[in-house]
Amino acid sequence: MALQLIDLNSDVQYIAIDVSRVPYTFSVKLADRTFSFTVKYNDAGKFFTIDLYDVNGNVLVFGEIVRYGRPLFNVVEDERFPIPVIIPSCITDDSISEVTWENFGKDVKLYLHERKVE
């Protein structure tokens, strides 16, 4: 499967994260469906997690660890999951290799990639 950043009107799309609000829940429309994300921080392990819910509030994924460069919600996928592939990454600084409190939502964003099956 090849991935390509979604490009609409030359703007790279991503899901904005505001670490100053963590833990918090927000909704976002991806393709034709709305999902809720709950972003949390595990202080002992020094990592972020995301819970994913469908429009009816049903849990699709609980406690997904946000890992740099790795697609979210990739372990289990079916028709209930978002169409775009969501990958935490930085497109402006090659030296970043992990998601931290200091860079998440600023340099590291949840970029949306087009899902292509070849």
Side-chain angles (χ1 to χ4, degrees):
M1 173 170 49
L3 297 177
Q4 178 178 341
L5 274 172
I6 291 177
D7 185 9
L8 298 176
N9 299 326
S10 300
D11 291 328
V12 177
Q13 289 193 333
Y14 61 88
I15 299 170
I17 300 295
D18 182 355
V19 295
S20 70
R21 297 180 60 201
V22 170
Y24 77 108
T25 300
F26 63 93
S27 294
V28 63
K29 187 171 184 174
L30 298 173
D32 63 341
R33 293 178 287 162
T34 301
F35 297 90
S36 290
F37 290 70
T38 298
V39 181
K40 300 174 190 171
Y41 187 72
N42 181 309
D43 198 41
K46 305 292 185 214
F47 59 84
F48 288 92
T49 62
I50 295 180
D51 304 334
L52 178 68
Y53 302 87
D54 68 14
V55 71
N56 298 316
N58 299 310
V59 176
L60 299 177
V61 175
F62 186 79
E64 174 86 4
I65 297 174
V66 180
R67 292 182 174 97
Y68 187 85
R70 297 205 177 172
L72 290 175
F73 322 124
N74 206 30
V75 175
V76 179
E77 288 188 21
D78 60 33
E79 68 279 351
R80 300 172 299 158
F81 285 78
I83 297 284
V85 177
I86 305 166
I87 302 178
S89 55
C90 177
I91 61 172
T92 59
D93 186 346
D94 291 341
S95 69
I96 293 177
S97 62
E98 63 183 330
V99 179
T100 66
W101 189 269
E102 293 75 26
N103 67 22
F104 194 34
K106 297 171 187 75
D107 297 314
V108 175
K109 298 179 179 161
L110 299 180
Y111 286 100
L112 303 179
H113 296 260
E114 187 174 345
R115 186 179 304 271
K116 290 184 178 182
V117 179
E118 295 180 18

